[in-house]
Amino acid sequence: SRIRCVFYPKGQTWSTAPTVMYVNPLHGYTARTRTVSALIAEDSRAFLKRAPRGKVSDMGKIKTLGDKEAIVRYFAAEGAAPHEAVAYVPEKDLVMLIVLSAKTPQGFQQALPAYRELISTYSWVGTNKEFGR
């Protein structure tokens, strides 16, 4: 899946776990003249196109270990309870996406404390370019 960093419950697998978290960079953020707000709006529109009766909720911001602010949105298909959350963390040349995805609303709710901890402990390390690779 080309996702660089995945989290799922011990004893389960990435492909079968009912609840997973992952961190993935969105490159090309600065190549286009778009803001994080515009990116979030694009994601929201794409979600609502796939789930016309869905709902996107603004869940505010969570401070990261690197002293950045992650902007958090919850996504609920068919207007039901949320089953996915995305935290958008702007970096110099990209936006880091920290995602919680659950197959059930109950799994989503149970994973929220771990998800918030993941966001709060996030800290930028650097790019391959910054490390001379």
Side-chain angles (χ1 to χ4, degrees):
S1 64
R2 299 188 61 153
I3 298 173
R4 292 165 176 86
C5 186
V6 299
F7 302 89
Y8 47 87
K10 189 174 185 174
Q12 298 183 13
T13 67
W14 169 249
S15 60
T16 61
T19 304
V20 299
M21 293 186 283
Y22 59 93
V23 180
N24 214 19
L26 179 60
H27 294 280
Y29 163 67
T30 58
R32 302 177 190 139
T33 55
R34 61 182 183 175
T35 64
V36 174
S37 297
L39 170 69
I40 293 170
E42 288 173 25
D43 273 0
S44 297
R45 279 192 299 275
F47 172 77
L48 293 171
K49 186 174 182 179
R50 290 187 311 272
R53 293 189 296 164
K55 182 178 178 186
V56 180
S57 302
D58 178 348
M59 299 309 294
K61 297 175 182 177
I62 297 175
K63 186 79 78 178
T64 70
L65 188 63
D67 215 26
K68 301 243 173 151
E69 289 190 326
I71 303 165
V72 182
R73 296 291 183 271
Y74 285 3
F75 296 85
E78 304 303 317
H83 65 281
E84 187 167 279
V86 179
Y88 302 83
V89 185
E91 295 295 350
K92 182 180 174 187
D93 294 322
L94 55 86
V95 173
M96 194 62 72
L97 305 178
I98 304 172
V99 181
L100 165 63
S101 182
K103 293 180 181 173
T104 66
Q106 297 81 11
F108 180 86
Q109 289 299 320
Q110 289 173 343
L112 278 175
Y115 179 66
R116 289 185 185 112
E117 183 178 359
L118 178 62
I119 295 168
S120 70
T121 59
Y122 165 84
S123 182
W124 179 252
V125 176
T127 64
N128 285 342
K129 185 178 178 181
E130 290 170 326
F131 287 111
R133 294 186 203 145

